[in-house]
Amino acid sequence: MVFSCLFVMISVCLSVTTAAPALDTAPHCRSIGCCPGRDDECYMPVIDPIRDAVCYCDDFCLRTEGSDCCSDFPTVCVQEQIDMGAMVSELWLADENRIDEGRYSYNVQAPKKDYRNHTDLSPSRLYTSFDEDFIFNKGTFKSFVPLCDNYEIMQGITENNTAAEQAEVEQYLDDVMDTEIMAITTRYLKDGGYVTDLQDLREKMKTIWFTNYFAEAENDSSAFEHVFCGDIKSTLSAGGLHNWVTVYREESIGNLNYHGYTGQRAPLQLGIQYTWIEAIKPRTSFMFGVSTEFELAIFTTAWLFNPDEVTSFSFSDGVSTFPVDVVAWTHKGSEGQIASAYFLD
């Protein structure tokens, strides 16, 4: 009888000793990083009311159903491919700030079969009409339009981001994050393990898009400036400017001379060549009508799960299906930022 009781007591003690630790919700893996394979040193202490305990951020922690992974391991360390086709189909239908084609019109004129030939083949402007009063005051376009006025066009000149300009960026981000587009994007990225919530996505987007980087001088450009506003290299080569509204604005004031189109894709994608303030852009592309949050969602997602590679997918508008190719490049020397991103024509 005594032996049996002793055996039971030992068994109980052993079961308590080997019980899985109670995991708290602190940012463990986000603090120490993720470790491949088995790494017994890849752990963090956790809050346990009974005893000292640890959780792990290595792949080995997933070996059993009763894992000892840290609570943030799934969102920080387990990242999955994103179904871009499904996501963009939802984004297209949810883009409440997309501009109806009746508010603008354009004339593509001559094709540029060889984009290495910089001859201007189109005698007229690209845009034939553009409802500025409506478009510039529509949803997120209202806070987007002033942003491009804050940047130095020429690379090599350090940006001086004033408090007022930074406030405009914050307002724009607030407006963008308040859209259904970003709610959908957050859901897909959270399911894939890339963000934890909407606020986390906002913080990542601010870093990815609005942190200045080195192009030709310290802090002389950023992903947002390059992609949505454009910049010009000292070699008089135009960079970026992959946005349909900015192309219109620059053409309307005489800065941009449209040469012809390099490619077209349904529903609203166009590749073009132009000269911008004496700088040649042999080839660029954009989608007409779409909101900037639509583009930000696609470019950010493609970069997070498939950086520096062409991401190909097809999306549906509810009636037809459209193939899309997009690429988002990482800025050399700053792993946490996009250098450029655009649709391929």
Side-chain angles (χ1 to χ4, degrees):
M1 176 69 73
V2 174
F3 177 78
S4 299
C5 291
L6 181 61
F7 177 78
V8 171
M9 291 174 64
I10 292 173
S11 299
V12 171
C13 289
L14 286 174
S15 65
V16 171
T17 302
T18 57
L23 305 184
D24 62 17
T25 57
H28 301 299
C29 298
R30 193 173 298 279
S31 299
I32 65 172
C34 308
C35 306
R38 178 171 182 171
D39 186 344
D40 292 340
E41 300 301 316
C42 190
Y43 69 87
M44 285 283 284
V46 298
I47 299 172
D48 190 307
I50 300 176
R51 63 184 179 84
D52 293 336
V54 297
C55 65
Y56 291 86
C57 296
D58 61 348
D59 294 338
F60 189 68
C61 74
L62 291 171
R63 66 195 181 281
T64 63
E65 291 184 5
S67 76
D68 51 5
C69 299
C70 294
S71 58
D72 62 345
F73 180 86
T75 56
V76 176
C77 301
V78 182
Q79 298 182 336
E80 301 176 356
Q81 296 291 301
I82 304 296
D83 187 342
M84 289 289 288
M87 188 187 87
V88 176
S89 295
E90 288 191 48
L91 297 182
W92 182 266
L93 296 176
D95 192 3
E96 61 187 18
N97 290 318
R98 187 169 62 248
I99 304 299
D100 183 82
E101 291 181 73
R103 297 287 181 176
Y104 63 91
S105 59
Y106 54 91
N107 178 12
V108 297
Q109 300 167 77
K112 295 286 296 187
K113 296 180 180 179
D114 182 3
Y115 66 87
R116 293 166 295 186
N117 181 345
H118 301 162
T119 304
D120 182 0
L121 300 179
S122 298
S124 302
R125 289 184 173 185
L126 172 63
Y127 282 94
T128 54
S129 67
F130 192 97
D131 189 344
E132 286 191 10
D133 289 341
F134 180 85
I135 296 172
F136 288 173
N137 290 286
K138 169 73 171 177
T140 51
F141 286 106
K142 187 173 184 178
S143 53
F144 162 71
V145 170
L147 295 183
C148 290
D149 297 331
N150 297 338
Y151 299 117
E152 297 285 350
I153 292 178
M154 296 300 299
Q155 291 184 3
I157 302 175
T158 298
E159 294 290 352
N160 177 27
N161 303 122
T162 66
E165 291 170 349
Q166 292 174 24
E168 289 182 349
V169 169
E170 295 295 338
Q171 182 61 61
Y172 171 70
L173 283 171
D174 286 345
D175 294 344
V176 163
M177 301 312 294
D178 195 36
T179 63
E180 183 63 21
I181 288 280
M182 286 302 158
I184 294 169
T185 304
T186 299
R187 170 162 48 85
Y188 274 88
L189 289 177
K190 183 178 180 180
D191 289 346
Y194 295 89
V195 302
T196 56
D197 53 27
L198 186 68
Q199 182 61 31
D200 185 32
L201 176 58
R202 187 191 193 280
E203 292 171 2
K204 281 183 169 61
M205 287 181 58
K206 184 177 179 180
T207 298
I208 290 168
W209 289 99
F210 290 97
T211 300
N212 290 334
Y213 58 58
F214 186 103
E216 292 187 1
E218 195 70 27
N219 296 327
D220 64 339
S221 192
S222 66
F224 187 86
E225 175 184 353
H226 177 82
V227 173
F228 288 91
C229 305
D231 46 26
I232 297 176
K233 303 175 184 178
S234 59
T235 56
L236 291 184
S237 173
L241 214 173
H242 304 296
N243 178 262
W244 70 285
V245 171
T246 306
V247 168
Y248 163 76
R249 293 187 73 201
E250 292 302 308
E251 185 181 52
S252 68
I253 61 177
N255 284 345
L256 188 147
N257 178 34
Y258 172 70
H259 290 188
Y261 70 96
T262 59
Q264 282 184 296
R265 282 193 184 187
L268 296 167
Q269 189 175 325
L270 184 69
I272 67 172
Q273 182 184 103
Y274 58 80
T275 300
W276 184 32
I277 316 179
E278 300 183 0
I280 187 68
K281 183 70 173 181
R283 191 177 189 180
T284 190
S285 60
F286 52 81
M287 276 195 185
F288 285 108
V290 297
S291 68
T292 56
E293 58 266 28
F294 178 83
E295 296 170 303
L296 282 169
I298 293 174
F299 296 154
T300 302
T301 302
W303 182 73
L304 284 173
F305 89 89
N306 193 33
D308 308 315
E309 300 287 346
V310 175
T311 300
S312 300
F313 58 91
S314 294
F315 78 93
S316 172
D317 65 355
V319 178
S320 302
T321 301
F322 309 100
V324 175
D325 296 306
V326 63
V327 65
W329 300 101
T330 304
H331 182 261
K332 295 179 180 179
S334 52
E335 294 299 319
Q337 292 171 256
I338 289 175
S340 186
Y342 45 87
F343 299 104
L344 299 173
D345 62 22

